[in-house]
Amino acid sequence: MLDTLIKGGTIIDGLGGPRRIGDVGIKDGMIVELSAVISTEAKDVLDAEGAIVTPGFVDIHTHYDGQVSWDDEMNPSASHGVTSIIMGNCGVGFAPVPPGGERDLIEVMEGVEDIPGTALYEGIEWGKWESFPEYLDYIASRKFALNIGAQIPHAAVRNYVMGQRGRDNEAATQDDLDKMAKIVSEGLTAGAVGFSTSRTIGHRSTHGHSIPGTFAAEEEIMTLAHAMTTSGKGVFELIPAGVIGDLEMFGGERRTADEELDLMTRISKETGRPVTFTLLQHAAAKTAWRDVLEQVTTANQNGALLFPQIASRPIGLVTNLKTYHLFQRRETFLKIRDLPFDQLLAEMRKPEVRAAILSDKNIKPDLPGTMENVYNAFKAGASELFEIEDPIDYEPTADKSFQARADALGQDLEDFMYDFLIQDDGSRFAIVLGSNYYDFNHDVIHEMLAHPETVTGLSDAGAHVTLIFDGVAPTYQMTHWCRDRKRGEKLPLEFIVQKQSHKNAQLYGLDDRGSIEVGKRADINVIDFDRLKLGGLEIHADLPAGGKRILQPASGYIATYVNGIKTREDDMDTGARPGRLLRS
């Protein structure tokens, strides 16, 4: 007898082939039957007629490294069809960690990924691990609503071995290199699914310092890459210098995009391991991404395994009166910001308070690397700042920008933004659409998505909790790119499903999942595609220490199964926790 029978659904199996009507039989967490009609009896039968049946989605770029310690539901990912995640990206994470050394890792994570330090101090069970294998064992002792794979973060490794010298980005000695290589090798042997590093000067700790490993010499990078050959497994994940331009405001990147691509090619060829790296369109060279893709194609034809990791929508910075906004560091606002929100709003509506805030100078935060400094981005990006409407228009035209709207009204931009933020009881959201949106359409993203060498990622789920909400990417990719886009070409649903399931699973060696095939793990979504949609943004104060985060719900997920167990039903968490650590 089957545990579960999914009957009569439209199966999109993740392999890229045409959809078909059929049944899926599940037993002991595995797909054991797959046919047009299955007659075997089952304990539970789900009528999926009219719905699509897809593999569970695999999100390869998340930052749940701390959240795994206090949360077992793992949102935003779990509510958007994700059944397996990869964390430990961008070279940041929480293992290895010396006893009492959590502060240094928290300051890096908070600065780079905008996860409140208070939540990380209070929510993480510090002291439960020191080494990376011990961290994996800790995760393995817990149960989740989805499966979790972890990468070894360069910044933590460097900090553990070199201490202050590592945080100061001093050159590693041979002894340092030997110790770091041993940590990487032991971590992969214990089940880490990869190693990650960041080489962009834009990634800084809360103190404004480039994170450990940013300026690591090629000898160090190659030594750690070669440590991966000992286990013969794992992905090398990299944030290259120049990914969003030269960043002269931070002193400028020290390496060019061509130098970085050459390094990544050598890493892959010499180690035989796949390399995935962030690729975005940036303002300084709006077509450079296309040159990178051409070079990647050539490199892969010559034996490399390079997988540019791209986003399915523009990288957006969100503003709202309860999160980050243009006026958050104005002297008058700082005096009232701790009031209960209703009282804050009432104060901001007073003409004299409005006038004071608009005329005030900004008071810089004590910590130069904190995201509190983002306030200037909402003025500098006014021509790319758009209201998040209901329903949300994810591909707005230039005339809808805040700058264009203010100009049309003959209004000063700051006056316009102030009035916007206090409308509707302070519930309005807006978003700066930067990277990938400089032409005010999604044609660049379409070309990136359609390219055979790319993989979908960069959701940053679990990070940038009040600034970016791209953890909803799996739902967005299906609705926008396969059904709702109006200003350009769409993409086939079969293609997008394959891209966010089987291709990502294969990259990380998750060969037992990522497709609907007999013998594969029963990680499955049943979706009412016609009804599938994203809801409005919601602010939840549900992080440890009362920390806030932005969530965006989805509707249309009839069921999600993880290892054959139903974790979501009609867009609601069932409470089941069949998710486990994924060891490579």
Side-chain angles (χ1 to χ4, degrees):
M1 176 176 284
L2 299 172
D3 294 326
T4 301
L5 175 60
I6 302 171
K7 286 192 63 68
T10 300
I11 298 171
I12 301 176
D13 62 15
L15 299 174
R19 63 190 73 184
R20 63 192 187 276
I21 306 296
D23 297 351
V24 181
I26 300 170
K27 186 176 178 62
D28 296 332
M30 309 294 290
I31 299 172
V32 296
E33 290 191 59
L34 188 59
S35 179
V37 178
I38 293 175
S39 59
T40 309
E41 292 187 3
K43 298 174 186 176
D44 182 64
V45 178
L46 175 63
D47 182 358
E49 183 177 356
I52 60 171
V53 181
T54 76
F57 307 132
V58 180
D59 189 339
I60 61 175
H61 195 112
T62 77
H63 292 281
Y64 289 117
D65 310 71
Q67 192 169 328
V68 293
S69 198
W70 69 74
D71 183 23
D72 57 10
E73 185 178 1
M74 306 307 293
N75 261 331
S77 294
S79 57
H80 291 276
V82 176
T83 56
S84 296
I85 62 98
I86 306 297
M87 63 186 193
N89 287 281
C90 305
V92 296
F94 297 119
V97 55
E102 55 265 27
R103 183 186 67 182
D104 296 318
L105 299 185
I106 288 173
E107 289 173 350
V108 166
M109 182 68 79
E110 184 176 12
V112 174
E113 302 301 342
D114 188 33
I115 303 172
T118 51
L120 299 174
Y121 277 113
E122 181 175 299
I124 296 177
E125 294 192 276
W126 298 106
K128 294 282 189 177
W129 67 85
E130 178 174 346
S131 70
F132 200 85
E134 289 170 345
Y135 180 58
L136 292 181
D137 288 343
Y138 169 78
I139 299 170
S141 72
R142 295 174 56 78
K143 300 176 181 179
F144 305 93
L146 45 68
N147 302 300
I148 294 170
Q151 298 176 111
I152 306 161
H154 190 184
V157 172
R158 209 171 202 269
N159 175 73
Y160 186 81
V161 170
M162 298 176 64
Q164 189 64 51
R165 291 186 299 115
R167 295 190 292 277
D168 290 341
N169 274 297
E170 295 182 12
T173 66
Q174 186 59 54
D175 182 58
D176 295 331
L177 295 178
D178 291 343
K179 290 177 179 176
M180 287 191 282
K182 183 178 180 181
I183 290 172
V184 172
S185 179
E186 289 178 346
L188 288 164
T189 299
V193 298
F195 170 83
S196 73
T197 190
S198 173
R199 292 165 62 77
T200 174
I201 200 169
H203 278 170
R204 304 183 302 159
S205 73
T206 54
H207 293 286
H209 305 141
S210 294
I211 68 172
T214 301
F215 309 119
E218 288 193 14
E219 179 188 11
E220 180 174 337
I221 296 297
M222 295 306 296
T223 295
L224 299 179
H226 278 290
M228 301 177 73
T229 62
T230 304
S231 62
K233 55 188 178 182
V235 175
F236 194 108
E237 190 266 341
L238 178 72
I239 311 298
V243 64
I244 54 173
D246 190 51
L247 299 179
E248 292 181 3
M249 73 286 287
F250 298 136
E253 297 280 28
R254 299 188 186 179
R255 292 169 295 270
T256 67
D258 285 343
E259 289 171 336
E260 294 290 83
L261 190 57
D262 176 69
L263 174 62
M264 290 185 286
T265 301
R266 286 188 284 117
I267 289 171
S268 181
K269 284 186 175 181
E270 290 186 24
T271 66
R273 305 312 310 154
V275 176
T276 185
F277 63 96
T278 301
L279 180 64
L280 298 167
Q281 181 196 41
H282 59 81
K286 295 179 183 177
T287 61
W289 61 271
R290 191 175 286 118
D291 297 332
V292 171
L293 286 180
E294 291 176 359
Q295 294 174 65
V296 164
T297 298
T298 300
N300 286 352
Q301 289 171 347
N302 292 320
L305 295 168
L306 302 180
F307 296 90
Q309 194 173 137
I310 52 97
S312 57
R313 64 184 187 186
I315 304 299
L317 307 180
V318 178
T319 180
N320 171 269
L321 196 55
K322 290 183 178 179
T323 59
Y324 296 115
H325 55 84
L326 178 62
F327 309 104
Q328 67 191 39
R329 298 301 305 178
R330 300 290 170 93
E331 185 175 7
T332 301
F333 182 83
L334 290 173
K335 293 176 181 177
I336 62 174
R337 69 174 181 178
D338 294 328
L339 291 173
F341 188 72
D342 289 347
Q343 294 179 35
L344 170 69
L345 195 59
E347 286 294 311
M348 291 185 69
R349 285 173 173 158
K350 294 178 179 178
E352 65 273 20
V353 175
R354 181 183 189 276
I357 291 176
L358 287 169
S359 63
D360 277 347
K361 293 182 178 180
N362 290 307
I363 307 298
K364 290 186 177 181
D366 294 334
L367 296 173
T370 177
M371 288 291 177
E372 281 282 314
N373 288 287
V374 78
Y375 58 89
N376 277 326
F378 300 117
K379 185 171 184 179
S383 62
E384 299 155 358
L385 179 62
F386 299 89
E387 180 178 355
I388 297 179
E389 301 172 309
D390 184 16
I392 299 175
D393 180 3
Y394 287 101
E395 200 169 1
T397 51
D399 62 295
K400 292 184 177 181
S401 76
F402 273 36
Q403 187 67 68
R405 290 170 64 183
D407 290 346
L409 293 171
Q411 191 175 12
D412 178 80
L413 173 67
E414 291 197 5
D415 288 347
F416 180 87
M417 291 184 70
Y418 191 101
D419 293 341
F420 174 83
L421 287 170
I422 63 174
Q423 285 182 57
D424 296 333
D425 296 326
S427 64
R428 305 289 283 276
F429 287 86
I431 186 169
V432 177
L433 299 177
S435 298
N436 294 350
Y437 205 68
Y438 297 112
D439 298 322
F440 296 101
N441 61 56
H442 286 181
D443 293 350
V444 164
I445 306 172
H446 183 280
E447 189 173 340
M448 289 182 181
L449 278 169
H451 197 282
E453 311 290 348
T454 63
V455 292
T456 56
L458 308 186
S459 82
D460 272 341
H464 302 294
V465 292
T466 51
L467 188 63
I468 297 173
F469 60 101
D470 290 344
V472 306
T475 302
Y476 171 81
Q477 285 164 186
M478 293 186 291
T479 55
H480 179 77
W481 286 108
C482 306
R483 189 190 68 197
D484 296 340
R485 191 183 185 209
K486 295 179 175 62
R487 296 182 55 212
E489 292 183 58
K490 300 182 180 72
L491 289 164
L493 184 56
E494 292 85 350
F495 176 82
I496 287 295
V497 168
Q498 180 187 33
K499 200 97 173 178
Q500 63 187 22
S501 58
H502 187 255
K503 187 163 186 176
N504 282 348
Q506 290 294 299
L507 171 61
Y508 273 87
L510 307 179
D511 298 329
D512 61 342
R513 64 197 73 230
S515 58
I516 297 179
E517 299 178 88
V518 171
K520 291 293 183 74
R521 288 278 179 183
D523 290 356
I524 295 172
N525 285 311
V526 181
I527 303 168
D528 184 342
F529 186 62
D530 292 337
R531 192 169 58 86
L532 185 65
K533 69 175 183 179
L534 291 166
L537 302 192
E538 302 171 354
I539 297 176
H540 294 248
D542 60 355
L543 295 179
K548 294 182 294 186
R549 59 175 176 164
I550 296 172
L551 294 176
Q552 186 179 25
S555 57
Y557 285 93
I558 297 170
T560 296
Y561 295 86
V562 174
N563 296 318
I565 304 297
K566 189 186 293 184
T567 57
R568 306 278 304 179
E569 184 171 21
D570 295 329
D571 305 309
M572 299 296 291
D573 176 36
T574 66
R577 298 293 181 259
R580 298 293 185 269
L581 174 70
L582 298 171
R583 294 188 191 263
S584 62

